[in-house]
PDB file of all heavy atoms in Angstrom:
ATOM      1  N   THR A   1    -199.660  37.671 -20.938  1.00 90.00           N
ATOM      2  CA  THR A   1    -200.371  38.723 -20.216  1.00 90.00           C
ATOM      3  C   THR A   1    -199.613  40.047 -20.186  1.00 90.00           C
ATOM      4  O   THR A   1    -200.009  40.956 -19.445  1.00 90.00           O
ATOM      5  CB  THR A   1    -200.677  38.284 -18.765  1.00 90.00           C
ATOM      6  OG1 THR A   1    -199.469  37.876 -18.112  1.00 90.00           O
ATOM      7  CG2 THR A   1    -201.688  37.163 -18.730  1.00 90.00           C
ATOM      8  N   THR A   2    -198.537  40.196 -20.958  1.00 92.00           N
ATOM      9  CA  THR A   2    -197.852  41.488 -20.995  1.00 92.00           C
ATOM     10  C   THR A   2    -198.729  42.507 -21.708  1.00 92.00           C
ATOM     11  O   THR A   2    -199.516  42.175 -22.595  1.00 92.00           O
ATOM     12  CB  THR A   2    -196.500  41.380 -21.720  1.00 92.00           C
ATOM     13  OG1 THR A   2    -196.699  40.803 -23.021  1.00 92.00           O
ATOM     14  CG2 THR A   2    -195.531  40.517 -20.937  1.00 92.00           C
ATOM     15  N   SER A   3    -198.588  43.757 -21.312  1.00 91.00           N
ATOM     16  CA  SER A   3    -199.384  44.813 -21.914  1.00 91.00           C
ATOM     17  C   SER A   3    -198.981  45.019 -23.369  1.00 91.00           C
ATOM     18  O   SER A   3    -197.865  44.694 -23.786  1.00 91.00           O
ATOM     19  CB  SER A   3    -199.189  46.119 -21.143  1.00 91.00           C
ATOM     20  OG  SER A   3    -197.863  46.601 -21.305  1.00 91.00           O
ATOM     21  N   GLN A   4    -199.891  45.552 -24.173  1.00 92.00           N
ATOM     22  CA  GLN A   4    -199.598  45.774 -25.584  1.00 92.00           C
ATOM     23  C   GLN A   4    -198.503  46.817 -25.778  1.00 92.00           C
ATOM     24  O   GLN A   4    -197.729  46.737 -26.734  1.00 92.00           O
ATOM     25  CB  GLN A   4    -200.873  46.183 -26.319  1.00 92.00           C
ATOM     26  CG  GLN A   4    -201.901  45.071 -26.395  1.00 92.00           C
ATOM     27  CD  GLN A   4    -203.180  45.489 -27.089  1.00 92.00           C
ATOM     28  OE1 GLN A   4    -203.244  46.529 -27.726  1.00 92.00           O
ATOM     29  NE2 GLN A   4    -204.222  44.675 -26.947  1.00 92.00           N
ATOM     30  N   ASP A   5    -198.409  47.790 -24.877  1.00 93.00           N
ATOM     31  CA  ASP A   5    -197.314  48.762 -24.954  1.00 93.00           C
ATOM     32  C   ASP A   5    -195.967  48.075 -24.760  1.00 93.00           C
ATOM     33  O   ASP A   5    -195.014  48.329 -25.486  1.00 93.00           O
ATOM     34  CB  ASP A   5    -197.493  49.847 -23.895  1.00 93.00           C
ATOM     35  CG  ASP A   5    -198.489  50.902 -24.318  1.00 93.00           C
ATOM     36  OD1 ASP A   5    -198.217  51.605 -25.296  1.00 93.00           O
ATOM     37  OD2 ASP A   5    -199.549  51.019 -23.676  1.00 93.00           O
ATOM     38  N   SER A   6    -195.894  47.190 -23.758  1.00 94.00           N
ATOM     39  CA  SER A   6    -194.618  46.541 -23.456  1.00 94.00           C
ATOM     40  C   SER A   6    -194.295  45.405 -24.416  1.00 94.00           C
ATOM     41  O   SER A   6    -193.165  44.923 -24.450  1.00 94.00           O
ATOM     42  CB  SER A   6    -194.622  46.021 -22.011  1.00 94.00           C
ATOM     43  OG  SER A   6    -195.572  44.989 -21.831  1.00 94.00           O
ATOM     44  N   SER A   7    -195.278  44.954 -25.209  1.00 94.00           N
ATOM     45  CA  SER A   7    -195.047  43.880 -26.171  1.00 94.00           C
ATOM     46  C   SER A   7    -194.389  44.368 -27.462  1.00 94.00           C
ATOM     47  O   SER A   7    -194.098  43.564 -28.345  1.00 94.00           O
ATOM     48  CB  SER A   7    -196.370  43.176 -26.509  1.00 94.00           C
ATOM     49  OG  SER A   7    -196.880  42.502 -25.387  1.00 94.00           O
ATOM     50  N   ALA A   8    -194.182  45.658 -27.588  1.00 95.00           N
ATOM     51  CA  ALA A   8    -193.478  46.190 -28.755  1.00 95.00           C
ATOM     52  C   ALA A   8    -192.064  45.620 -28.823  1.00 95.00           C
ATOM     53  O   ALA A   8    -191.455  45.326 -27.796  1.00 95.00           O
ATOM     54  CB  ALA A   8    -193.426  47.716 -28.688  1.00 95.00           C
ATOM     55  N   LYS A   9    -191.544  45.462 -30.018  1.00 96.00           N
ATOM     56  CA  LYS A   9    -190.225  44.827 -30.210  1.00 96.00           C
ATOM     57  C   LYS A   9    -189.101  45.647 -29.607  1.00 96.00           C
ATOM     58  O   LYS A   9    -188.171  45.108 -28.995  1.00 96.00           O
ATOM     59  CB  LYS A   9    -189.978  44.633 -31.710  1.00 96.00           C
ATOM     60  CG  LYS A   9    -190.957  43.715 -32.397  1.00 96.00           C
ATOM     61  CD  LYS A   9    -190.732  43.689 -33.901  1.00 96.00           C
ATOM     62  CE  LYS A   9    -191.132  45.012 -34.547  1.00 96.00           C
ATOM     63  NZ  LYS A   9    -190.995  44.972 -36.021  1.00 96.00           N
ATOM     64  N   ASN A  10    -189.159  46.956 -29.777  1.00 97.00           N
ATOM     65  CA  ASN A  10    -188.046  47.817 -29.373  1.00 97.00           C
ATOM     66  C   ASN A  10    -188.148  48.300 -27.934  1.00 97.00           C
ATOM     67  O   ASN A  10    -187.173  48.803 -27.370  1.00 97.00           O
ATOM     68  CB  ASN A  10    -187.966  49.026 -30.313  1.00 97.00           C
ATOM     69  CG  ASN A  10    -187.761  48.617 -31.759  1.00 97.00           C
ATOM     70  OD1 ASN A  10    -187.157  47.581 -32.038  1.00 97.00           O
ATOM     71  ND2 ASN A  10    -188.270  49.417 -32.688  1.00 97.00           N
ATOM     72  N   VAL A  11    -189.326  48.189 -27.352  1.00 97.00           N
ATOM     73  CA  VAL A  11    -189.521  48.567 -25.952  1.00 97.00           C
ATOM     74  C   VAL A  11    -188.803  47.571 -25.045  1.00 97.00           C
ATOM     75  O   VAL A  11    -188.789  46.369 -25.303  1.00 97.00           O
ATOM     76  CB  VAL A  11    -191.025  48.594 -25.618  1.00 97.00           C
ATOM     77  CG1 VAL A  11    -191.274  48.557 -24.124  1.00 97.00           C
ATOM     78  CG2 VAL A  11    -191.681  49.825 -26.228  1.00 97.00           C
ATOM     79  N   VAL A  12    -188.182  48.071 -23.982  1.00 98.00           N
ATOM     80  CA  VAL A  12    -187.668  47.185 -22.936  1.00 98.00           C
ATOM     81  C   VAL A  12    -188.817  46.900 -21.993  1.00 98.00           C
ATOM     82  O   VAL A  12    -189.234  47.759 -21.209  1.00 98.00           O
ATOM     83  CB  VAL A  12    -186.480  47.809 -22.184  1.00 98.00           C
ATOM     84  CG1 VAL A  12    -186.012  46.878 -21.073  1.00 98.00           C
ATOM     85  CG2 VAL A  12    -185.326  48.098 -23.151  1.00 98.00           C
ATOM     86  N   CYS A  13    -189.367  45.703 -22.102  1.00 97.00           N
ATOM     87  CA  CYS A  13    -190.481  45.266 -21.258  1.00 97.00           C
ATOM     88  C   CYS A  13    -189.916  44.803 -19.914  1.00 97.00           C
ATOM     89  O   CYS A  13    -189.064  43.918 -19.871  1.00 97.00           O
ATOM     90  CB  CYS A  13    -191.239  44.138 -21.952  1.00 97.00           C
ATOM     91  SG  CYS A  13    -192.523  43.360 -20.942  1.00 97.00           S
ATOM     92  N   VAL A  14    -190.383  45.402 -18.833  1.00 97.00           N
ATOM     93  CA  VAL A  14    -189.830  45.130 -17.500  1.00 97.00           C
ATOM     94  C   VAL A  14    -190.800  44.278 -16.683  1.00 97.00           C
ATOM     95  O   VAL A  14    -191.917  44.700 -16.372  1.00 97.00           O
ATOM     96  CB  VAL A  14    -189.518  46.434 -16.742  1.00 97.00           C
ATOM     97  CG1 VAL A  14    -188.916  46.119 -15.375  1.00 97.00           C
ATOM     98  CG2 VAL A  14    -188.558  47.309 -17.558  1.00 97.00           C
ATOM     99  N   GLY A  15    -190.374  43.067 -16.366  1.00 96.00           N
ATOM    100  CA  GLY A  15    -191.107  42.196 -15.458  1.00 96.00           C
ATOM    101  C   GLY A  15    -190.582  42.373 -14.046  1.00 96.00           C
ATOM    102  O   GLY A  15    -189.858  43.322 -13.741  1.00 96.00           O
ATOM    103  N   ALA A  16    -190.919  41.432 -13.163  1.00 95.00           N
ATOM    104  CA  ALA A  16    -190.511  41.613 -11.767  1.00 95.00           C
ATOM    105  C   ALA A  16    -190.493  40.284 -11.021  1.00 95.00           C
ATOM    106  O   ALA A  16    -191.144  39.316 -11.422  1.00 95.00           O
ATOM    107  CB  ALA A  16    -191.459  42.587 -11.054  1.00 95.00           C
ATOM    108  N   VAL A  17    -189.728  40.276  -9.936  1.00 94.00           N
ATOM    109  CA  VAL A  17    -189.707  39.150  -9.001  1.00 94.00           C
ATOM    110  C   VAL A  17    -189.833  39.707  -7.582  1.00 94.00           C
ATOM    111  O   VAL A  17    -189.468  40.852  -7.312  1.00 94.00           O
ATOM    112  CB  VAL A  17    -188.407  38.317  -9.112  1.00 94.00           C
ATOM    113  CG1 VAL A  17    -188.310  37.626 -10.458  1.00 94.00           C
ATOM    114  CG2 VAL A  17    -187.177  39.196  -8.878  1.00 94.00           C
ATOM    115  N   TYR A  18    -190.352  38.881  -6.688  1.00 92.00           N
ATOM    116  CA  TYR A  18    -190.437  39.240  -5.270  1.00 92.00           C
ATOM    117  C   TYR A  18    -189.076  39.023  -4.605  1.00 92.00           C
ATOM    118  O   TYR A  18    -188.491  37.946  -4.721  1.00 92.00           O
ATOM    119  CB  TYR A  18    -191.475  38.365  -4.560  1.00 92.00           C
ATOM    120  CG  TYR A  18    -192.907  38.793  -4.770  1.00 92.00           C
ATOM    121  CD1 TYR A  18    -193.624  38.363  -5.882  1.00 92.00           C
ATOM    122  CD2 TYR A  18    -193.544  39.619  -3.851  1.00 92.00           C
ATOM    123  CE1 TYR A  18    -194.956  38.744  -6.064  1.00 92.00           C
ATOM    124  CE2 TYR A  18    -194.866  40.008  -4.019  1.00 92.00           C
ATOM    125  CZ  TYR A  18    -195.562  39.568  -5.134  1.00 92.00           C
ATOM    126  OH  TYR A  18    -196.872  39.947  -5.313  1.00 92.00           O
ATOM    127  N   HIS A  19    -188.559  40.043  -3.917  1.00 92.00           N
ATOM    128  CA  HIS A  19    -187.292  39.875  -3.200  1.00 92.00           C
ATOM    129  C   HIS A  19    -187.502  39.443  -1.752  1.00 92.00           C
ATOM    130  O   HIS A  19    -186.534  39.219  -1.009  1.00 92.00           O
ATOM    131  CB  HIS A  19    -186.443  41.149  -3.256  1.00 92.00           C
ATOM    132  CG  HIS A  19    -187.064  42.362  -2.630  1.00 92.00           C
ATOM    133  ND1 HIS A  19    -187.277  42.484  -1.286  1.00 92.00           N
ATOM    134  CD2 HIS A  19    -187.503  43.520  -3.182  1.00 92.00           C
ATOM    135  CE1 HIS A  19    -187.819  43.664  -1.015  1.00 92.00           C
ATOM    136  NE2 HIS A  19    -187.978  44.316  -2.154  1.00 92.00           N
ATOM    137  N   GLN A  20    -188.759  39.344  -1.333  1.00 88.00           N
ATOM    138  CA  GLN A  20    -189.130  38.847   0.002  1.00 88.00           C
ATOM    139  C   GLN A  20    -188.595  39.716   1.132  1.00 88.00           C
ATOM    140  O   GLN A  20    -188.478  39.272   2.277  1.00 88.00           O
ATOM    141  CB  GLN A  20    -188.636  37.393   0.194  1.00 88.00           C
ATOM    142  CG  GLN A  20    -188.963  36.455  -0.934  1.00 88.00           C
ATOM    143  CD  GLN A  20    -190.451  36.207  -1.121  1.00 88.00           C
ATOM    144  OE1 GLN A  20    -191.253  36.553  -0.266  1.00 88.00           O
ATOM    145  NE2 GLN A  20    -190.823  35.617  -2.229  1.00 88.00           N
ATOM    146  N   ASN A  21    -188.186  40.949   0.798  1.00 88.00           N
ATOM    147  CA  ASN A  21    -187.679  41.893   1.802  1.00 88.00           C
ATOM    148  C   ASN A  21    -186.421  41.385   2.506  1.00 88.00           C
ATOM    149  O   ASN A  21    -186.208  41.634   3.697  1.00 88.00           O
ATOM    150  CB  ASN A  21    -188.755  42.230   2.832  1.00 88.00           C
ATOM    151  CG  ASN A  21    -188.589  43.632   3.385  1.00 88.00           C
ATOM    152  OD1 ASN A  21    -187.950  44.482   2.759  1.00 88.00           O
ATOM    153  ND2 ASN A  21    -189.154  43.895   4.545  1.00 88.00           N
ATOM    154  N   THR A  22    -185.579  40.662   1.759  1.00 90.00           N
ATOM    155  CA  THR A  22    -184.277  40.223   2.280  1.00 90.00           C
ATOM    156  C   THR A  22    -183.193  40.677   1.310  1.00 90.00           C
ATOM    157  O   THR A  22    -183.458  40.996   0.151  1.00 90.00           O
ATOM    158  CB  THR A  22    -184.201  38.685   2.413  1.00 90.00           C
ATOM    159  OG1 THR A  22    -184.124  38.099   1.105  1.00 90.00           O
ATOM    160  CG2 THR A  22    -185.419  38.135   3.143  1.00 90.00           C
ATOM    161  N   SER A  23    -181.953  40.675   1.779  1.00 90.00           N
ATOM    162  CA  SER A  23    -180.828  41.084   0.929  1.00 90.00           C
ATOM    163  C   SER A  23    -180.309  39.938   0.073  1.00 90.00           C
ATOM    164  O   SER A  23    -179.451  40.136  -0.782  1.00 90.00           O
ATOM    165  CB  SER A  23    -179.681  41.632   1.789  1.00 90.00           C
ATOM    166  OG  SER A  23    -179.241  40.645   2.703  1.00 90.00           O
ATOM    167  N   SER A  24    -180.811  38.737   0.298  1.00 93.00           N
ATOM    168  CA  SER A  24    -180.361  37.565  -0.450  1.00 93.00           C
ATOM    169  C   SER A  24    -181.151  37.405  -1.743  1.00 93.00           C
ATOM    170  O   SER A  24    -182.379  37.570  -1.761  1.00 93.00           O
ATOM    171  CB  SER A  24    -180.533  36.298   0.402  1.00 93.00           C
ATOM    172  OG  SER A  24    -180.305  35.134  -0.371  1.00 93.00           O
ATOM    173  N   LEU A  25    -180.447  37.069  -2.820  1.00 93.00           N
ATOM    174  CA  LEU A  25    -181.125  36.757  -4.075  1.00 93.00           C
ATOM    175  C   LEU A  25    -181.634  35.321  -4.085  1.00 93.00           C
ATOM    176  O   LEU A  25    -182.438  34.950  -4.933  1.00 93.00           O
ATOM    177  CB  LEU A  25    -180.174  36.969  -5.258  1.00 93.00           C
ATOM    178  CG  LEU A  25    -179.672  38.393  -5.490  1.00 93.00           C
ATOM    179  CD1 LEU A  25    -178.683  38.432  -6.651  1.00 93.00           C
ATOM    180  CD2 LEU A  25    -180.835  39.344  -5.751  1.00 93.00           C
ATOM    181  N   GLY A  26    -181.165  34.522  -3.136  1.00 92.00           N
ATOM    182  CA  GLY A  26    -181.477  33.103  -3.129  1.00 92.00           C
ATOM    183  C   GLY A  26    -182.930  32.779  -2.854  1.00 92.00           C
ATOM    184  O   GLY A  26    -183.407  31.700  -3.220  1.00 92.00           O
ATOM    185  N   ASP A  27    -183.665  33.691  -2.197  1.00 91.00           N
ATOM    186  CA  ASP A  27    -185.066  33.401  -1.901  1.00 91.00           C
ATOM    187  C   ASP A  27    -186.020  34.194  -2.805  1.00 91.00           C
ATOM    188  O   ASP A  27    -187.230  34.185  -2.606  1.00 91.00           O
ATOM    189  CB  ASP A  27    -185.389  33.682  -0.431  1.00 91.00           C
ATOM    190  CG  ASP A  27    -185.166  35.143  -0.050  1.00 91.00           C
ATOM    191  OD1 ASP A  27    -184.681  35.921  -0.900  1.00 91.00           O
ATOM    192  OD2 ASP A  27    -185.470  35.506   1.106  1.00 91.00           O
ATOM    193  N   ASP A  28    -185.486  34.876  -3.807  1.00 91.00           N
ATOM    194  CA  ASP A  28    -186.336  35.610  -4.737  1.00 91.00           C
ATOM    195  C   ASP A  28    -187.168  34.634  -5.566  1.00 91.00           C
ATOM    196  O   ASP A  28    -186.715  33.533  -5.903  1.00 91.00           O
ATOM    197  CB  ASP A  28    -185.493  36.470  -5.688  1.00 91.00           C
ATOM    198  CG  ASP A  28    -184.772  37.602  -4.973  1.00 91.00           C
ATOM    199  OD1 ASP A  28    -184.906  37.707  -3.744  1.00 91.00           O
ATOM    200  OD2 ASP A  28    -184.066  38.366  -5.660  1.00 91.00           O
ATOM    201  N   GLN A  29    -188.372  35.031  -5.904  1.00 90.00           N
ATOM    202  CA  GLN A  29    -189.213  34.200  -6.757  1.00 90.00           C
ATOM    203  C   GLN A  29    -190.210  35.073  -7.501  1.00 90.00           C
ATOM    204  O   GLN A  29    -190.544  36.169  -7.067  1.00 90.00           O
ATOM    205  CB  GLN A  29    -189.953  33.135  -5.941  1.00 90.00           C
ATOM    206  CG  GLN A  29    -190.813  33.680  -4.829  1.00 90.00           C
ATOM    207  CD  GLN A  29    -191.413  32.578  -3.962  1.00 90.00           C
ATOM    208  OE1 GLN A  29    -191.076  31.420  -4.083  1.00 90.00           O
ATOM    209  NE2 GLN A  29    -192.321  32.962  -3.073  1.00 90.00           N
ATOM    210  N   TRP A  30    -190.656  34.573  -8.623  1.00 90.00           N
ATOM    211  CA  TRP A  30    -191.554  35.355  -9.473  1.00 90.00           C
ATOM    212  C   TRP A  30    -192.934  35.518  -8.850  1.00 90.00           C
ATOM    213  O   TRP A  30    -193.513  36.583  -8.876  1.00 90.00           O
ATOM    214  CB  TRP A  30    -191.676  34.682 -10.847  1.00 90.00           C
ATOM    215  CG  TRP A  30    -192.729  35.276 -11.712  1.00 90.00           C
ATOM    216  CD1 TRP A  30    -192.693  36.492 -12.346  1.00 90.00           C
ATOM    217  CD2 TRP A  30    -193.994  34.705 -12.050  1.00 90.00           C
ATOM    218  NE1 TRP A  30    -193.846  36.706 -13.053  1.00 90.00           N
ATOM    219  CE2 TRP A  30    -194.664  35.616 -12.885  1.00 90.00           C
ATOM    220  CE3 TRP A  30    -194.618  33.497 -11.724  1.00 90.00           C
ATOM    221  CZ2 TRP A  30    -195.933  35.358 -13.407  1.00 90.00           C
ATOM    222  CZ3 TRP A  30    -195.878  33.244 -12.242  1.00 90.00           C
ATOM    223  CH2 TRP A  30    -196.524  34.167 -13.068  1.00 90.00           C
ATOM    224  N   GLU A  31    -193.448  34.464  -8.269  1.00 81.00           N
ATOM    225  CA  GLU A  31    -194.802  34.499  -7.724  1.00 81.00           C
ATOM    226  C   GLU A  31    -194.767  34.471  -6.206  1.00 81.00           C
ATOM    227  O   GLU A  31    -194.072  33.652  -5.612  1.00 81.00           O
ATOM    228  CB  GLU A  31    -195.614  33.307  -8.236  1.00 81.00           C
ATOM    229  CG  GLU A  31    -197.063  33.310  -7.788  1.00 81.00           C
ATOM    230  CD  GLU A  31    -197.831  32.105  -8.319  1.00 81.00           C
ATOM    231  OE1 GLU A  31    -197.240  31.275  -9.028  1.00 81.00           O
ATOM    232  OE2 GLU A  31    -199.027  32.007  -8.019  1.00 81.00           O
ATOM    233  N   ASN A  32    -195.502  35.379  -5.590  1.00 69.00           N
ATOM    234  CA  ASN A  32    -195.641  35.375  -4.142  1.00 69.00           C
ATOM    235  C   ASN A  32    -196.715  34.350  -3.782  1.00 69.00           C
ATOM    236  O   ASN A  32    -197.900  34.566  -4.031  1.00 69.00           O
ATOM    237  CB  ASN A  32    -196.032  36.766  -3.643  1.00 69.00           C
ATOM    238  CG  ASN A  32    -196.088  36.850  -2.134  1.00 69.00           C
ATOM    239  OD1 ASN A  32    -195.969  35.847  -1.444  1.00 69.00           O
ATOM    240  ND2 ASN A  32    -196.260  38.051  -1.618  1.00 69.00           N
ATOM    241  N   HIS A  33    -196.309  33.240  -3.209  1.00 61.00           N
ATOM    242  CA  HIS A  33    -197.247  32.161  -2.935  1.00 61.00           C
ATOM    243  C   HIS A  33    -198.107  32.425  -1.695  1.00 61.00           C
ATOM    244  O   HIS A  33    -198.970  31.618  -1.367  1.00 61.00           O
ATOM    245  CB  HIS A  33    -196.496  30.842  -2.778  1.00 61.00           C
ATOM    246  CG  HIS A  33    -195.806  30.415  -4.042  1.00 61.00           C
ATOM    247  ND1 HIS A  33    -196.490  29.873  -5.103  1.00 61.00           N
ATOM    248  CD2 HIS A  33    -194.511  30.473  -4.428  1.00 61.00           C
ATOM    249  CE1 HIS A  33    -195.661  29.590  -6.086  1.00 61.00           C
ATOM    250  NE2 HIS A  33    -194.449  29.950  -5.704  1.00 61.00           N
ATOM    251  N   GLY A  34    -197.862  33.537  -1.032  1.00 57.00           N
ATOM    252  CA  GLY A  34    -198.682  33.884   0.112  1.00 57.00           C
ATOM    253  C   GLY A  34    -199.829  34.779  -0.302  1.00 57.00           C
ATOM    254  O   GLY A  34    -200.968  34.356  -0.470  1.00 57.00           O
ATOM    255  N   SER A  35    -199.529  36.049  -0.531  1.00 57.00           N
ATOM    256  CA  SER A  35    -200.563  36.996  -0.928  1.00 57.00           C
ATOM    257  C   SER A  35    -199.949  38.024  -1.862  1.00 57.00           C
ATOM    258  O   SER A  35    -198.747  38.068  -2.067  1.00 57.00           O
ATOM    259  CB  SER A  35    -201.148  37.692   0.303  1.00 57.00           C
ATOM    260  OG  SER A  35    -200.122  38.413   0.992  1.00 57.00           O
ATOM    261  N   GLY A  36    -200.796  38.841  -2.417  1.00 63.00           N
ATOM    262  CA  GLY A  36    -200.310  39.888  -3.311  1.00 63.00           C
ATOM    263  C   GLY A  36    -200.551  39.532  -4.766  1.00 63.00           C
ATOM    264  O   GLY A  36    -200.902  38.411  -5.113  1.00 63.00           O
ATOM    265  N   SER A  37    -200.372  40.515  -5.638  1.00 82.00           N
ATOM    266  CA  SER A  37    -200.593  40.305  -7.059  1.00 82.00           C
ATOM    267  C   SER A  37    -199.370  39.651  -7.694  1.00 82.00           C
ATOM    268  O   SER A  37    -198.340  39.467  -7.049  1.00 82.00           O
ATOM    269  CB  SER A  37    -200.913  41.630  -7.740  1.00 82.00           C
ATOM    270  OG  SER A  37    -199.889  42.574  -7.502  1.00 82.00           O
ATOM    271  N   THR A  38    -199.488  39.315  -8.954  1.00 87.00           N
ATOM    272  CA  THR A  38    -198.442  38.573  -9.646  1.00 87.00           C
ATOM    273  C   THR A  38    -198.027  39.322 -10.914  1.00 87.00           C
ATOM    274  O   THR A  38    -198.890  39.790 -11.660  1.00 87.00           O
ATOM    275  CB  THR A  38    -198.939  37.166 -10.023  1.00 87.00           C
ATOM    276  OG1 THR A  38    -199.378  36.505  -8.837  1.00 87.00           O
ATOM    277  CG2 THR A  38    -197.831  36.350 -10.677  1.00 87.00           C
ATOM    278  N   PRO A  39    -196.731  39.443 -11.196  1.00 92.00           N
ATOM    279  CA  PRO A  39    -196.297  40.135 -12.404  1.00 92.00           C
ATOM    280  C   PRO A  39    -196.800  39.431 -13.664  1.00 92.00           C
ATOM    281  O   PRO A  39    -196.980  38.207 -13.681  1.00 92.00           O
ATOM    282  CB  PRO A  39    -194.769  40.069 -12.319  1.00 92.00           C
ATOM    283  CG  PRO A  39    -194.455  39.754 -10.895  1.00 92.00           C
ATOM    284  CD  PRO A  39    -195.605  38.972 -10.376  1.00 92.00           C
ATOM    285  N   ALA A  40    -197.011  40.183 -14.715  1.00 92.00           N
ATOM    286  CA  ALA A  40    -197.382  39.611 -16.005  1.00 92.00           C
ATOM    287  C   ALA A  40    -196.221  38.797 -16.562  1.00 92.00           C
ATOM    288  O   ALA A  40    -195.066  38.971 -16.170  1.00 92.00           O
ATOM    289  CB  ALA A  40    -197.760  40.722 -16.975  1.00 92.00           C
ATOM    290  N   GLN A  41    -196.524  37.916 -17.501  1.00 93.00           N
ATOM    291  CA  GLN A  41    -195.488  37.099 -18.127  1.00 93.00           C
ATOM    292  C   GLN A  41    -195.765  36.927 -19.615  1.00 93.00           C
ATOM    293  O   GLN A  41    -196.901  37.090 -20.077  1.00 93.00           O
ATOM    294  CB  GLN A  41    -195.385  35.737 -17.454  1.00 93.00           C
ATOM    295  CG  GLN A  41    -196.629  34.872 -17.569  1.00 93.00           C
ATOM    296  CD  GLN A  41    -196.453  33.496 -16.967  1.00 93.00           C
ATOM    297  OE1 GLN A  41    -195.438  32.847 -17.162  1.00 93.00           O
ATOM    298  NE2 GLN A  41    -197.443  33.046 -16.215  1.00 93.00           N
ATOM    299  N   GLY A  42    -194.718  36.587 -20.342  1.00 93.00           N
ATOM    300  CA  GLY A  42    -194.839  36.331 -21.767  1.00 93.00           C
ATOM    301  C   GLY A  42    -195.194  34.889 -22.037  1.00 93.00           C
ATOM    302  O   GLY A  42    -195.620  34.160 -21.129  1.00 93.00           O
ATOM    303  N   PRO A  43    -194.995  34.457 -23.278  1.00 93.00           N
ATOM    304  CA  PRO A  43    -194.423  35.213 -24.380  1.00 93.00           C
ATOM    305  C   PRO A  43    -195.457  36.128 -25.035  1.00 93.00           C
ATOM    306  O   PRO A  43    -196.620  36.143 -24.615  1.00 93.00           O
ATOM    307  CB  PRO A  43    -194.006  34.106 -25.358  1.00 93.00           C
ATOM    308  CG  PRO A  43    -195.045  33.041 -25.140  1.00 93.00           C
ATOM    309  CD  PRO A  43    -195.334  33.072 -23.675  1.00 93.00           C
ATOM    310  N   THR A  44    -195.030  36.872 -26.057  1.00 94.00           N
ATOM    311  CA  THR A  44    -195.989  37.616 -26.854  1.00 94.00           C
ATOM    312  C   THR A  44    -196.775  36.636 -27.723  1.00 94.00           C
ATOM    313  O   THR A  44    -196.408  35.464 -27.852  1.00 94.00           O
ATOM    314  CB  THR A  44    -195.273  38.623 -27.764  1.00 94.00           C
ATOM    315  OG1 THR A  44    -194.390  37.904 -28.655  1.00 94.00           O
ATOM    316  CG2 THR A  44    -194.444  39.607 -26.950  1.00 94.00           C
ATOM    317  N   ASP A  45    -197.822  37.123 -28.328  1.00 92.00           N
ATOM    318  CA  ASP A  45    -198.651  36.245 -29.150  1.00 92.00           C
ATOM    319  C   ASP A  45    -197.887  35.645 -30.328  1.00 92.00           C
ATOM    320  O   ASP A  45    -198.219  34.548 -30.789  1.00 92.00           O
ATOM    321  CB  ASP A  45    -199.869  37.013 -29.669  1.00 92.00           C
ATOM    322  CG  ASP A  45    -201.035  36.958 -28.686  1.00 92.00           C
ATOM    323  OD1 ASP A  45    -200.876  36.334 -27.623  1.00 92.00           O
ATOM    324  OD2 ASP A  45    -202.089  37.544 -28.984  1.00 92.00           O
ATOM    325  N   ASP A  46    -196.876  36.362 -30.817  1.00 92.00           N
ATOM    326  CA  ASP A  46    -196.104  35.821 -31.947  1.00 92.00           C
ATOM    327  C   ASP A  46    -194.837  35.095 -31.488  1.00 92.00           C
ATOM    328  O   ASP A  46    -193.953  34.810 -32.290  1.00 92.00           O
ATOM    329  CB  ASP A  46    -195.761  36.922 -32.961  1.00 92.00           C
ATOM    330  CG  ASP A  46    -194.883  38.023 -32.375  1.00 92.00           C
ATOM    331  OD1 ASP A  46    -194.729  38.064 -31.129  1.00 92.00           O
ATOM    332  OD2 ASP A  46    -194.349  38.835 -33.154  1.00 92.00           O
TER     333      ASP A  46
END
């Protein structure tokens, strides 16, 4: 589901994780299981 612009080989494609509004990295996660949208993920088609 990455955008075609970000799927270019030389582009630095930037994804994201939820930091849960805390200073700890230990509770970070890719998907917010409560509410909110979800970052795109790879891989590319090739």
